[in-house]
């Protein structure tokens, strides 16, 4: 199907269905119940799931396949956002030109930064990309924001003002980002005894793009080009002595992943027309590394899982405060309750990064293959109970490893 | 005039003179063996031919063109493939993928952005890869993860990766080192077979005299970075200088 083998096609269809049904699946608890705080089905969060999913899928094409670890990919995310907001300011609120420019701008910068950074490999490559990203951050934060030439609007962030030209804007169009007139904020809310489900057009725009990007990434993974990238990770010297020039291959992977990042940045701006320099900071670059490794670097689905996992828990943990904790531990005697709240307190709210750090350590130490490996281990336990199924799976695995099929 | 002409090559590593004034001429469609004791500079010489090292002085001409200053992938594209002393393969990839990569390199050159192409449309290359796997007796291992194979299999795989490129010159650095007798004989048969089936020039470094004398058309003896003699195998056997420098030593 669509040039995919059986196994990949199945994975693609599963991702497609889960993404389309996300508004249902992510709101399993009725509104007003005590568990409703674990719901994730609101437009804003769902949009972030798929946008960061795109970011991580692209990052994985570079890091997962070639092993080149970029510590500066957030720079392309930020550039994408700035490019999109400039389109909103100058031309139109339609997201199509904005996203196209995001991808182009990020691609061009990736070409330059990649060309220079890829002269080195290993840790030196990582440091070079980090240096470029911090330079971009400094440029965006202060240098390119002065009264004479204000490209980024510094600390405040770039946004759309009512006196911006918006040459192609028409009165009949929504006064916010839209897709040919369909506002990204328009939401249809379905209520069914206590449950509410939000179907947001912005989410579905992002979701459709993520599905397409996921499909492209499967094709890249299974293409001869993807095989060359894996060969670079495996033994770059052998590749060179086999007559292949690894430099353009890594550069192509770098540019493709930069364009994915730019696309994600453009979509972030399209959902909320604002671009700030903090989006380019090294913490943001580190986050996509965590997402990819946590989910499973080099696997197809891993980065999407990692992105969803981190964004979900970031949201949940940031919302929990001491009051919520007191409710949770109310069943304990008073002294114990206070003790538990004191112990858990550093890990919630602003302390979410602490929790993330711990989670990351646990995964790297016990599950180096990430969540995907975790899933496979669980799968193996089940399979051991069912001999027949295990034979079929092994057969599928064999076919997967054969590029010719 | 040989297909490979090495003239006056010197190479120093700090104070060590690894190669001094090496001249070598390899004629087309012959098997040229380079023998010599450990540390004689044999691997260093090969490294100078494939762009891994650049000689301090001297010239290396292949097929009428200088290889000096060219990158390894450019030299490979000129038609030189090399088997390393310790097998260099793509350990994370399957045997089949290991063979397909050189096939793509030969057909598409040093770079091509085939990012959205499908292996299903590469029937020709897949067939070619399968044929070479049959030749080296590894077809049943085509989907195996190559890192998990035995050392002997890795060597055969690396050899197949080079052969599938149909190079004008194949360089082999101790292709039977660490192999059991049976495997060594298989390798000799394989190389003989290749030589009889297609036009190929080989330059082979070898420790095993049995291998050398059953394959080589010409032999160069290298000792302490300098060629002692170059001659036909029969004459080498009886040469007292060689006995002293190499064969004598090996007999101890
Ligand atoms: N990269 C290097 N740096 C320093 N010395 C080297 C290097 N490569 C080889 N040598 C030295 O050069 C000499 C020749 O080595 P080599 O060509 O590997 O010998 P052979 O392959 O004939 O056994 C040895 O003394 C070795 O230690
Ligand atoms: Mg050697």
């Amino acid at each position: 199907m669509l040039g995919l083998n059986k196994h990949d096609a199945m994975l693609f269809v599963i991702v497609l269905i889960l993404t389309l049904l996300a508004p249902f699946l992510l709101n399993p608890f009725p509104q007003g119940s005590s568990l409703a705080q674990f719901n994730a089905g609101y437009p804003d969060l769902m949009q972030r799931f798929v946008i960061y999913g795109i970011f991580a899928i692209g990052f994985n094409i570079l890091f997962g396949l070639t092993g080149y670890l970029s510590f500066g990919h957030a720079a392309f995310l930020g550039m994408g956002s700035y490019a999109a907001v400039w389109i909103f300011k100058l031309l139109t609120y339609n997201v199509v030109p904005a996203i196209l420019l995001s991808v182009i701008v990020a691609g061009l910068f990736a070409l330059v930064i990649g060309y220079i950074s890829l002269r080195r490999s290993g840790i030196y490559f990582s440091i070079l990309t980090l240096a470029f990203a911090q330079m971009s951050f400094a440029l965006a934060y202060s240098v390119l924001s002065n009264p004479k030439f204000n490209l980024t609007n510094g600390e405040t962030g770039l946004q759309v003002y009512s006196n911006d030209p918006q040459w192609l804007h028409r009165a009949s169009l929504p006064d916010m980002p839209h897709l040919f007139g369909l506002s990204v904020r328009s939401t249809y809310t379905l209520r069914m005894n206590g449950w509410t489900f939000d179907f947001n057009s912005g989410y579905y725009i992002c979701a459709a793009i993520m599905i397409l990007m996921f499909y492209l990434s499967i094709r890249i993974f299974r293409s001869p080009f993807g095989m060359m990238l894996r060969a670079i990770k495996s033994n770059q010297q052998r590749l060179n002595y086999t007559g292949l020039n690894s430099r353009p291959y890594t550069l192509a992977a770098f540019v493709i992943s930069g364009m994915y990042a730019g696309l994600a940045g453009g979509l972030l701006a399209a959902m909320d027309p604002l671009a700030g320099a903090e989006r380019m900071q090294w913490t943001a670059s580190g986050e996509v590394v965590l997402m990819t490794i946590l989910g499973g670097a080099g696997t197809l689905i891993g980065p999407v899982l990692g992105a969803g996992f981190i964004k979900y828990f970031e949201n949940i943990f940031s919302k929990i405060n001491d009051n919520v904790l007191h409710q949770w531990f109310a069943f304990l005697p008073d002294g114990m309750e206070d003790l538990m709240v004191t112990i858990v307190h550093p890990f919630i709210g602003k302390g979410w990064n602490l929790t993330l750090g711990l989670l990351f350590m646990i995964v790297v130490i016990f599950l180096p293959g990430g969540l995907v490996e975790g899933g496979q281990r669980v799968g193996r336990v089940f399979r051991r109970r069912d001999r027949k199924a295990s034979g079929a799976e092994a057969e599928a695995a064999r076919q997967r490893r054969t590029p010719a099929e | 005039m040989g297909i490979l002409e090495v003239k006056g090559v010197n190479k120093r590593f700090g104070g060590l003179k690894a190669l001094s004034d090496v001249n070598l001429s390899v004629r087309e469609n012959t098997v040229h063996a380079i023998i010599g004791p450990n540390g004689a500079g044999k691997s260093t010489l090969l490294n100078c031919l494939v762009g891994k090292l650049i000689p301090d002085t001297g010239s290396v001409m292949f097929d009428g063109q200088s290889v000096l200053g060219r990158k390894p992938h450019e030299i490979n594209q000129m038609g030189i493939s090399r088997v390393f002393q310790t097998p260099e393969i793509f350990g994370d990839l399957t045997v089949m993928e290991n063979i397909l990569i050189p096939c793509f390199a030969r057909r598409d050159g040093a770079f091509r952005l085939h990012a959205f192409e499908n292996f299903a449309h590469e029937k020709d290359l897949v067939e070619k890869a399968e044929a070479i796997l049959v030749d080296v007796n590894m077809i049943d291992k085509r989907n195996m993860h190559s890192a998990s194979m035995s050392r002997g299999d890795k060597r055969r795989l690396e050899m197949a990766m080079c052969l599938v490129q149909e190079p004008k010159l194949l360089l082999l650095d101790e292709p039977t080192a660490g192999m059991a007798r049976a495997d060594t004989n298989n390798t000799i048969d394989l190389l003989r077979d290749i030589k009889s089936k297609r036009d190929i020039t080989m330059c082979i470094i070898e420790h095993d005299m049995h291998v050398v004398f059953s394959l080589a058309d010409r032999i160069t003896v290298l000792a302490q970075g300098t060629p002692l003699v170059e001659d036909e195998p029969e004459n080498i056997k009886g040469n007292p200088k060689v006995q002293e420098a190499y064969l004598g030593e090996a007999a101890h």
Side-chain angles (χ1 to χ4, degrees):
Chain A
M1 190 190 89
L2 295 167
L4 304 182
N5 69 32
K6 235 195 208 157
H7 176 265
D8 293 341
M10 201 157 79
L11 185 68
F12 178 67
V13 169
I14 291 172
V15 169
L16 179 74
I17 292 172
L18 291 181
T19 316
L20 293 182
L21 296 183
F24 285 114
L25 301 172
L26 295 174
N27 260 2
F29 308 113
Q31 207 68 41
S33 74
S34 64
L35 286 173
Q37 58 186 321
F38 294 109
N39 280 343
Y42 18 93
D44 169 51
L45 185 56
M46 289 195 297
Q47 288 163 6
R48 262 182 287 154
F49 285 162
V50 287
I51 292 173
Y52 280 92
I54 293 172
F55 190 19
I57 291 171
F59 187 76
N60 191 40
I61 291 174
L62 178 70
F63 174 56
L65 290 180
T66 69
Y68 277 75
L69 177 55
S70 161
F71 257 111
H73 256 52
F76 306 122
L77 189 81
M79 289 169 195
S81 290
Y82 282 118
V85 177
W86 270 111
I87 290 279
F88 296 153
K89 285 167 84 72
L90 295 179
L91 274 187
T92 164
Y93 258 136
N94 192 332
V95 298
V96 173
I99 289 170
L100 285 179
L101 189 71
S102 301
V103 175
I104 293 168
V105 166
L108 290 176
F109 275 96
L111 192 62
V112 175
I113 294 178
Y115 183 80
I116 300 169
S117 304
L118 287 166
R119 309 191 132 301
R120 291 284 168 273
S121 59
I123 187 77
Y124 299 101
F125 167 79
S126 303
I127 298 289
L128 280 171
T129 52
L130 177 64
F132 272 111
Q134 283 306 89
M135 271 155 50
S136 310
F137 170 72
L139 284 173
Y141 194 74
S142 52
V143 182
L144 294 179
S145 164
N146 54 59
K148 277 196 211 118
F149 182 71
N150 192 352
L151 191 67
T152 60
N153 208 22
E155 254 178 275
T156 323
L158 194 65
Q159 45 190 296
V160 184
Y161 297 111
S162 50
N163 61 351
D164 281 331
Q166 295 202 296
W167 290 305
L168 298 179
H169 192 64
R170 297 285 167 273
S172 58
L173 291 167
D175 217 8
M176 64 184 73
H178 62 81
L179 182 71
F180 302 108
L182 174 69
S183 159
V184 299
R185 303 229 176 107
S186 66
T187 302
Y188 168 73
T189 304
L190 177 70
R191 279 176 229 284
M192 290 165 65
N193 8 290
W195 276 272
T196 62
F197 303 108
D198 290 330
F199 298 89
N200 166 260
S201 55
Y203 167 72
Y204 278 105
I205 292 169
C206 297
I209 295 176
M210 190 202 78
I211 302 270
L212 180 66
M213 290 302 124
F214 183 60
Y215 172 72
L216 288 185
S217 113
I218 302 181
R219 290 297 299 265
I220 290 176
F221 265 63
R222 302 295 183 230
S223 71
F225 175 72
M227 177 175 73
M228 298 301 179
L229 297 184
R230 283 186 291 129
I232 287 173
K233 184 177 181 177
S234 181
N235 190 344
Q236 187 161 348
Q237 156 153 306
R238 184 18 107 193
L239 197 74
N240 293 143
Y241 289 103
T242 306
L244 291 152
N245 189 357
S246 48
R247 194 72 67 72
Y249 280 101
T250 46
L251 184 59
F254 193 89
V255 171
I256 291 171
S257 75
M259 288 164 85
Y260 268 76
L263 173 66
L267 286 172
L268 280 177
M271 297 303 112
D272 183 12
L274 188 107
E278 75 289 340
R279 209 163 266 175
M280 298 178 141
Q281 228 171 347
W282 67 272
T283 45
S285 296
E287 194 180 49
V288 74
V289 178
L290 295 192
M291 286 172 177
T292 309
I293 295 178
L294 196 69
T299 63
L300 284 168
I301 191 71
V304 186
L305 291 180
F309 186 86
I310 288 185
K311 285 293 158 194
Y312 176 75
F313 284 101
E314 175 186 69
N315 184 62
I316 299 295
F317 276 82
S318 314
K319 272 196 318 197
I320 299 171
N321 54 30
D322 285 1
N323 289 338
V324 178
L325 287 185
H326 278 290
Q327 276 174 27
W328 284 5
F329 297 117
F331 66 94
L332 294 169
D334 268 359
M336 284 290 283
E337 182 184 329
D338 290 342
L339 180 68
M340 284 308 288
V341 172
T342 317
I343 292 174
V344 180
H345 175 82
F347 295 94
I348 55 162
K350 291 211 166 73
W352 146 248
N353 280 323
L354 196 58
T355 318
L356 178 60
L358 283 177
L359 271 175
F360 187 70
M361 284 197 293
I362 292 169
V363 167
V364 169
I365 294 168
F366 296 106
L367 271 185
L371 297 175
V372 169
E373 189 189 331
Q376 283 167 347
R377 282 198 198 168
V378 172
R380 237 172 281 145
V381 171
F382 278 103
R383 242 175 284 139
R384 223 165 278 147
R385 298 193 187 141
D386 188 355
R387 276 270 173 83
K388 241 179 168 176
S390 111
E393 262 296 318
E395 180 58 34
R398 247 200 308 282
Q399 286 182 358
R400 213 177 312 147
R401 282 199 298 270
T402 311
E405 278 158 345
Chain B
M1 183 72 182
I3 189 167
L4 179 75
E5 291 285 340
V6 177
K7 288 219 174 77
V9 162
N10 287 280
K11 181 74 197 175
R12 272 183 175 282
F13 294 115
L16 179 84
K17 210 155 180 4
L19 295 177
S20 52
D21 200 27
V22 174
N23 294 300
L24 180 74
S25 173
V26 178
R27 263 172 282 157
E28 210 164 346
N29 298 332
T30 59
V31 177
H32 195 121
I34 299 173
I35 62 173
N38 252 328
K42 305 180 297 293
S43 296
T44 305
L45 179 59
L46 282 207
N47 287 340
C48 289
L49 307 183
V50 295
K52 191 170 181 174
L53 290 175
I54 298 174
D56 302 331
T57 57
S59 72
V60 179
M61 301 290 285
F62 174 70
D63 220 5
Q65 287 178 299
S66 173
V67 306
L68 298 185
R70 288 182 203 256
K71 300 235 173 65
H73 70 264
E74 293 168 334
I75 294 174
N76 175 280
Q77 291 288 352
M78 289 169 78
I80 302 182
S81 292
R82 171 173 180 184
V83 175
F84 284 81
Q85 191 165 356
T86 41
E88 293 275 351
I89 55 169
F90 303 109
D92 299 331
L93 275 55
T94 65
V95 168
M96 188 66 184
E97 287 172 325
N98 268 277
I99 303 286
L100 280 171
I101 286 173
C103 293
F104 277 104
R106 187 48 74 246
R107 194 193 66 186
D108 297 339
F111 172 71
R112 180 162 156 217
L113 189 64
H114 25 39
F116 302 108
E117 286 161 35
N118 205 312
F119 282 98
H121 302 139
E122 306 290 0
K123 287 257 167 358
D124 292 356
L125 291 191
V126 172
E127 272 166 26
K128 194 172 157 191
E130 280 170 348
I132 201 84
L133 283 177
V134 170
D135 280 354
V136 297
N137 220 345
M138 289 184 84
I139 190 70
D140 49 324
K141 300 196 168 94
R142 62 186 307 233
N143 294 327
M144 223 166 130
H145 188 72
S146 62
S148 60
M149 297 191 307
S150 72
R151 197 181 153 96
D153 279 347
K154 285 180 186 165
R155 280 190 171 289
R156 275 193 295 160
L157 174 61
E158 193 187 17
M159 213 174 299
M161 290 164 71
C162 290
L163 289 173
V164 81
Q165 295 198 308
E166 292 170 9
K168 290 183 199 153
L169 173 64
L170 177 63
L171 303 175
L172 300 131
D173 197 346
E174 306 202 20
T176 65
M179 273 190 186
R181 187 85 253 171
D183 262 346
T184 302
N185 288 337
N186 283 341
T187 308
I188 297 173
D189 291 344
L190 173 67
L191 291 173
R192 273 221 187 102
D193 191 42
I194 288 153
K195 201 182 138 190
S196 67
K197 270 192 199 147
R198 46 192 125 184
D199 291 341
I200 189 166
T201 314
M202 286 190 240
C203 187
I204 179 167
I205 291 177
E206 190 48 74
H207 247 81
D208 192 322
M209 286 306 118
H210 175 60
V211 178
V212 173
F213 290 116
S214 50
L215 278 174
D217 300 309
R218 253 190 123 67
I219 297 177
T220 296
V221 182
L222 206 64
Q224 288 166 352
T226 326
L228 278 184
V229 272
E230 188 196 314
D231 215 330
E232 319 242 305
E234 301 81 69
N235 304 340
I236 292 285
K237 270 185 204 165
N239 190 315
K241 257 159 102 189
V242 179
Q243 299 267 333
E244 187 196 318
Y246 184 69
L247 297 178
E249 183 209 55
H252 287 307

